């Protein structure tokens, strides 16, 4: 399937908006304090686990069969986040199709990408199964992917992650047998999920919400141009779809995007306490 550039953008933006809505909402989080910098509170431990799993999907590389797109590369050295949806958002910022200026959207995506690519320093991590204490240095995106997969899968389906953890330990000077790495997975979950992930969850949600708000703003001129009042019944309306959007899938995604814009943003704007941004 070959899509026009504006069709690619409509499909990609709908996918991103849906994923963020699935993660940052009133089912996952309690209503946030909006009068001051705060932290978000999960509705339950199960909702926290769902958030971790969905985040790992957002930070995964889209399958070419689902999104066979070819957005222009940045020309910069490759980063881990280039294999995530953030790469596409940054590319849209360079060549926007549905609006005149996507710089705000690109900036929001780039800010999250920079944070994810940065090193996470976890001092004195105790791995009881290995009788080992060490200071771990890994990228935040690597850590979040490990956490998400470990919450999603039983240990019997974590072979690829176990190999990555083993290589990471080797980089820290410890050559550990693969079987013993399997045994220490609960220790990693204890440190990375219960402590580090819990600490960063509010900041991650803030980054995601900022992307959603930037996407909302980016689509405002197109919505103002395209919306048409109908005359068949009260509340009837339609959209003047760009002529380049012809594929049925892209057409449906465009309509969905415009209706998301029409519906507004239900989750209130919030800022996260600086005390949740100075560790790890």
């Amino acid at each position: 399937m070959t899509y026009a550039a504006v069709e690619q953008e409509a499909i990609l933006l709908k996918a991103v908006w849906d994923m963020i809505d699935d993660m940052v909402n009133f089912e996952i989080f309690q209503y946030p304090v909006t009068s001051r910098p705060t932290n978000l509170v999960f509705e339950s431990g199960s909702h926290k686990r769902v958030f971790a799993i969905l985040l790992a999907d957002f930070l995964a590389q889209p399958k070419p069969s689902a999104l066979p797109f070819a957005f222009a590369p940045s020309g910069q050295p490759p980063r881990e986040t280039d294999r995530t949806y953030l790469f596409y958002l940054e590319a849209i910022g360079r060549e926007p199709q549905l609006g005149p200026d996507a710089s705000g959207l690109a900036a929001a995506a780039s800010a999250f990408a920079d944070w994810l690519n940065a090193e996470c320093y976890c001092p004195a991590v105790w791995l009881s199964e290995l009788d080992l204490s060490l200071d771990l240095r890994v990228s935040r995106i690597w850590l979040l992917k490990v956490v998400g997969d470990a919450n999603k899968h039983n240990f019997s389906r974590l072979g690829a992650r176990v190999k990555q953890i083993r290589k990471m330990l080797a980089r820290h000077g410890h050559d550990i047998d693969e079987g013993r790495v399997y045994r220490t997975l609960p220790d990693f979950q204890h440190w990375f999920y219960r402590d580090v992930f819990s600490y960063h969850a509010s900041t991650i949600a803030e980054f995601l919400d900022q992307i959603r708000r930037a996407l909302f703003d980016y689509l405002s001129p197109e919505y103002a141009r395209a919306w048409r009042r109908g005359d068949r019944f009260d509340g009837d309306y339609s959209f003047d779809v760009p002529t380049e959007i012809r594929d049925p899938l892209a057409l449906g995604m465009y309509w969905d995007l415009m209706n998301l814009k029409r519906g507004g943003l239900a989750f209130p704007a919030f800022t996260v306490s600086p005390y949740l941004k100075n560790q790890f």
Side-chain angles (χ1 to χ4, degrees), residues 109-225:
S110 294
F112 192 25
D114 290 343
W115 185 87
L116 289 165
N117 287 310
E119 183 179 76
C120 176
Y121 173 59
C122 305
V125 174
W126 171 244
L127 304 178
S128 60
E129 185 65 30
L130 304 178
D131 192 24
L132 180 65
S133 177
L134 70 165
D135 298 338
L136 292 181
R137 295 181 181 274
V138 296
S139 68
R140 291 188 179 118
I141 186 172
W142 184 89
L143 182 150
L144 293 173
K145 286 182 176 182
V146 169
V147 164
D149 283 353
N151 275 285
K152 184 177 183 179
H153 299 299
N154 176 265
F155 74 89
S156 61
R157 295 190 60 194
L158 291 174
R161 289 299 180 203
V162 165
K163 287 180 172 58
Q164 291 178 1
I165 292 173
R166 188 183 180 198
K167 289 181 180 178
M168 181 271 292
L169 290 172
R171 290 196 302 271
H172 286 75
H174 302 279
D175 186 12
I176 308 298
D177 176 80
E178 188 170 302
R180 296 184 69 197
V181 176
Y182 271 101
R183 291 284 296 160
T184 200
L185 285 175
D187 289 333
F188 276 96
Q189 279 296 85
H190 173 88
W191 285 91
F192 289 165
Y193 180 59
R194 196 194 72 173
D195 294 344
V196 181
F197 177 79
S198 296
Y199 179 84
H200 282 318
S202 294
T203 297
I204 293 167
E206 183 182 35
F207 277 122
L208 293 169
D209 188 60
Q210 289 300 314
I211 292 173
R212 179 169 53 189
R213 291 180 179 280
L215 175 52
F216 184 88
D217 291 342
Y218 167 61
L219 292 175
S220 293
E222 174 62 15
Y223 179 84
R225 181 204 69 79

